[in-house]
Amino acid sequence: MQILLPEESGSALARFLLRNLPPRLFLPGKPAFLFAEKGALPPRPLTGGILIADAEARLSPALKGMLTLTCGPSPKDTFTFSGRGEEEAAVALMRTIPLPGGTAEPMEVPISFPAGTGDFLLLAATAALVLSDVLEEKNQREFIRFYAP
């Protein structure tokens, strides 16, 4: 899987992803992850890509053919918090996601992070880790530690 950064590579999301995700996730490969934040221009569609979108993002109709996973506060979102404190949370994958070579099953991922980190940053980065099998390489019971960009 490949992470494609938002067009504004200086955005808070881009900086957060670069700081917290393994470098190998940014190497060319297919399918790719695209991100759509609330209030940001949505990315262009990519055949076979996975769109990780803020639940409040307005998406272009051109993106409708992509597998779109939402991150937000509702149990209807694909990734949401099952619990959230000031510096720790549990991110829940709410349903089974078909992926090339397998599936991502519903799970909870404990995370820790600096106070004040935005919800979408945390949910999107956790989604990328879950969907790219990074967590299978680690013990899922351990906290995933995120750092400020």
Side-chain angles (χ1 to χ4, degrees):
M1 301 277 190
Q2 175 191 10
I3 302 291
L4 297 178
L5 293 174
E7 290 186 14
E8 296 177 15
S9 60
S11 74
L13 175 61
R15 290 191 316 273
F16 189 80
L17 294 174
L18 284 167
R19 173 76 167 99
N20 288 287
L21 298 181
R24 66 182 170 86
L25 294 184
F26 296 93
L27 300 174
K30 287 194 175 183
F33 295 122
L34 301 174
F35 296 87
E37 298 179 80
K38 177 183 174 184
L41 292 175
R44 295 180 300 278
L46 181 69
T47 304
I50 299 171
L51 178 63
I52 298 173
D54 186 311
E56 296 181 19
R58 292 186 181 173
L59 302 179
S60 162
L63 299 171
K64 295 220 185 227
M66 294 181 65
L67 174 59
T68 300
L69 309 176
T70 58
C71 297
S74 169
K76 292 182 180 181
D77 292 316
T78 311
F79 289 90
T80 191
F81 293 109
S82 56
R84 190 184 195 297
E86 190 65 27
E87 295 182 349
E88 293 183 351
V91 175
L93 169 57
M94 300 300 289
R95 62 180 177 275
T96 301
I97 306 299
L99 298 169
T103 59
E105 298 294 331
M107 69 174 76
E108 284 192 344
V109 179
I111 62 172
S112 62
F113 47 88
T117 305
D119 289 351
F120 182 68
L121 298 179
L122 297 170
L123 292 169
T126 304
L129 292 173
V130 167
L131 299 174
S132 61
D133 291 332
V134 168
L135 297 182
E136 296 214 355
E137 299 166 7
K138 299 181 178 187
N139 181 346
Q140 286 184 350
R141 301 283 181 228
E142 293 178 15
F143 272 86
I144 301 300
R145 176 77 183 144
F146 291 121
Y147 301 93

